[in-house]
Structures are given as structure tokens and as C-alpha cells.
Amino acid sequence: MIPNQTRWVGPPHANLYVLNEQGEPCASGEVGELVHAGPLVSQGYWRQPAQTAKRFKPLPKSIDSEQTKAVWSGDSVYQDNDGYLYFKGRNDDQIKVSGYRISPEEVEAALLAMPLVKELAVAGISHEKTGQAIALALVLSKGAEYDEQKFIMQCRRSLPSYMVPTRIKLFDNLPRNANDKLDRPRILEMLT
């Protein structure tokens, strides 16, 4: 699992930006997309024009009048007052509940602190009132006694209400891909 606040400083010869959905620089502490430009940026993905067009785009004219090509990473980050960047999650993994953008890693980090949790994964599922809702695939620690109502109460103490899971399914283990990372597409199927 990726920590929800990884401190990172960019490579030399790179111009890094944190931009909002309108392509404007974010204020300190405001979450936006990490965009980088400079001589080390590649020309795109090998023989993948659709993927290249999605990620490799010019910088907005308000930032660079020459419209230099940049990589729109898909990473959600924020910058502190000292210029350090903090990773929050991936845009393509984000869950939208009642207009709130939620990083699965943020919810997972809070819930992993609970002693009865061995492993878990969060996914967004369709919800007719809120757009999406939080679903949780949960593996309990050995010998842990599970009471769903008590677990949800603990979640409410640790998370804002829009991040509290509305669907919880227990599993003996969670599937992993060839890189030994959680197989999130498969977990989503299991939750729906």
C-alpha cells in the first residue's frame, strides 16, 4: 500500500506543477494533478497514440506561452509552503461520493490502523443518491472477532462520513496481480 503522504522532491532539470482541473496552479495545500515538463520528458508511450494523447499535452498558455509538452501524471498531490510535494493518490483510482474526491489509499490507511484488520482494499461502487459509495474488501487478523456495527462505529470515529464504507465483504485473502500488488479490478468485481 502507498502511504497517503509520501514526501517527494522532483528530479533536476524538471519543472513541476500542481494544477487544478482548469489547468491553473493550485494554492499551497490544495490537491491537484502533478504535471512535469523539461528536457527529460519523453515524447510519449511507444506505439500507444491514445495513451500518449491523454498524458502528454502542452502546458496551459498562462504558465508557458510556448506551450511546451508536459506529462500529466494522473497523480494527485499537494505542495506545502516549503515546496515539498505530498502524494495523495491516483486520479484514475479516485472515488467520487456526493462531490467529494476520495483516494482509496487515504481510506485504507485510516482503516489499516484498526487492530482487527489484516488486509483490506477500498473501491468505489455505483450509488443512486451519491454517485458512488465506498465498498470495502476486508481480511481479518487471525482470531479477530468481527461485529459489523462496531466496526462501522470505529470507521465513523476515524473518517469523515462520506468516507465510511457502505458495503463491507469479508474474505480469507485478497487477489494479487503478477507484481504482487492488490488486483483492484478483480477486487471491484468481488465487491459488486
Side-chain angles (χ1 to χ4, degrees):
M1 193 188 89
I2 299 170
N4 68 340
Q5 288 196 346
T6 303
R7 190 161 145 161
W8 182 76
V9 179
H13 310 295
N15 297 317
L16 301 176
Y17 307 93
V18 180
L19 303 179
N20 62 23
E21 290 178 355
Q22 292 75 37
E24 299 165 350
C26 292
S28 180
E30 179 185 357
V31 176
E33 183 170 1
L34 177 64
V35 178
H36 47 102
L40 302 177
V41 171
S42 74
Q43 295 302 305
Y45 296 110
W46 179 253
R47 296 186 180 175
Q48 296 182 34
Q51 241 344 65
T52 296
K54 179 180 177 184
R55 294 281 179 217
F56 292 80
K57 302 180 283 191
L59 287 169
K61 285 184 180 182
S62 61
I63 295 173
D64 178 18
S65 62
E66 295 179 19
Q67 298 252 274
T68 305
K69 188 182 276 189
V71 179
W72 299 71
S73 69
D75 292 328
S76 291
V77 301
Y78 70 90
Q79 189 171 21
D80 69 12
N81 291 328
D82 295 322
Y84 288 102
L85 298 174
Y86 296 83
F87 179 80
K88 293 294 287 179
R90 294 278 307 156
N91 292 343
D92 46 9
D93 291 339
Q94 286 191 342
I95 303 164
K96 285 188 180 177
V97 176
S98 298
Y100 293 99
R101 290 180 179 268
I102 303 165
S103 166
E105 291 90 354
E106 188 175 5
V107 178
E108 290 167 355
L111 299 182
L112 272 170
M114 295 181 184
L116 65 89
V117 176
K118 177 181 177 185
E119 184 176 42
L120 56 78
V122 167
I125 57 171
S126 184
H127 190 277
E128 71 179 55
K129 290 183 180 177
T130 60
Q132 285 187 303
I134 304 289
L136 173 65
L138 178 62
V139 177
L140 298 174
S141 298
K142 188 174 182 176
E145 291 187 30
Y146 178 72
D147 178 317
E148 187 166 316
Q149 289 181 340
K150 287 182 182 177
F151 182 76
I152 289 173
M153 290 303 293
Q154 282 183 301
C155 291
R156 287 185 177 140
R157 284 191 287 269
S158 303
L159 296 164
S161 60
Y162 59 89
M163 290 187 183
V164 173
T166 59
R167 178 179 295 169
I168 301 169
K169 287 190 176 182
L170 300 179
F171 298 96
D172 293 330
N173 55 50
L174 297 179
R176 297 188 171 276
N177 62 26
N179 296 323
D180 199 37
K181 293 184 177 182
L182 290 175
D183 186 344
R184 291 190 183 272
R186 177 73 185 112
I187 291 168
L188 179 58
E189 288 176 20
M190 293 163 57
L191 287 167
T192 54

